[in-house]
Amino acid sequence: DAGVIQSPRHEVTEMGQEVTLRCKPISGHNSLFWYRQTMMRGLELLIYFNNNVPIDDSGMPEDRFSAKMPNASFSTLKIQPSEPRDSAVYFCASSQKGSPLHFGNGTRLTVT
Amino acid sequence: GEDVEQSLFLSVREGDSSVINCTYTDSSSTYLYWYKQEPGAGLQLLTYIFSNMDMKQDQRLTVLLNKKDKHLSLRIADTQTGDSAIYFCAESPPRDQLIWGAGTKLIIKP
């Protein structure tokens, strides 16, 4: 199994641009999570899906952030417009019910 | 409120044992986890313990759980340079998502 696959690994963009982060969960996993990691705030859960349905998006910072899961093998996290304070490492993780989370290697986003 | 607490840093000599501690808040948490994060990588599941256990051993790793004090520890025997990483503790409340500690950075001195 290839594990959770995220792309791109690094993204550098200018303030105001749209950013799309992508995630392919482990096949057969029915839960998908988007996390953000920063030095100041640590690991924050942004949103999670069960069976492709968003369950809790209370961690999404503001309306500039949106996430979709059109099918069981793909999810996107979009930031539009991006701001410098969005700079962080964004992780996607997946799991089966009752099993531990498996993380991707993350996307390091830098907004200048 | 909900909070998982860990020391931010631990420094040990190569070959010694490392003990990373964690306190959690929800006594009904079913599982407690240890994840390892190496530089530039995602969090990797290291080990976990079910709440009805008080100890779990896996090669160089020993997890101790004290439910009364809501205290979890991870002991790494014969610490090697490859053990340098940030170690995250997480608890799993029965009807909620994982609650994460801030991570303990393990520094290995030669």
Side-chain angles (χ1 to χ4, degrees), chain A residues 27-93:
Chain A
S27 177
H29 282 190
N30 61 351
S31 295
L32 183 140
F33 304 79
W34 282 101
Y35 281 89
R36 178 172 68 176
Q37 186 180 39
T38 60
M39 289 290 291
M40 292 298 295
R41 301 171 70 93
L43 202 59
E44 300 173 277
L45 176 63
L46 301 178
I47 185 171
Y48 75 95
F49 296 82
N50 273 349
N51 297 318
N52 313 342
V53 176
I55 302 300
D56 184 356
D57 65 354
S58 59
M60 296 285 258
E62 46 198 275
D63 291 346
R64 298 185 297 107
F65 285 68
S66 63
K68 294 182 180 178
M69 192 165 184
N71 57 61
S73 58
F74 184 66
S75 177
T76 59
L77 177 67
K78 187 175 292 187
I79 308 172
Q80 165 64 9
S82 58
E83 295 182 5
R85 61 193 167 118
D86 301 330
S87 298
V89 182
Y90 291 81
F91 288 106
C92 177

Side-chain angles (χ1 to χ4, degrees), chain B residues 24 27 29-32 49-55 65 67:
Chain B
Y24 61 98
S27 57
S29 284
T30 48
Y31 289 96
L32 295 124
I49 189 167
F50 190 50
S51 58
N52 68 354
M53 300 169 64
D54 51 22
M55 187 179 96
L65 175 60
K67 283 192 73 174

Side-chain angles (χ1 to χ4, degrees), chain A residues 9-25:
Chain A
R9 286 283 279 136
H10 302 274
E11 176 81 37
V12 180
T13 191
E14 291 184 345
M15 186 173 83
Q17 297 298 305
E18 177 179 297
V19 173
T20 300
L21 311 181
R22 296 173 175 79
C23 175
K24 178 177 165 41

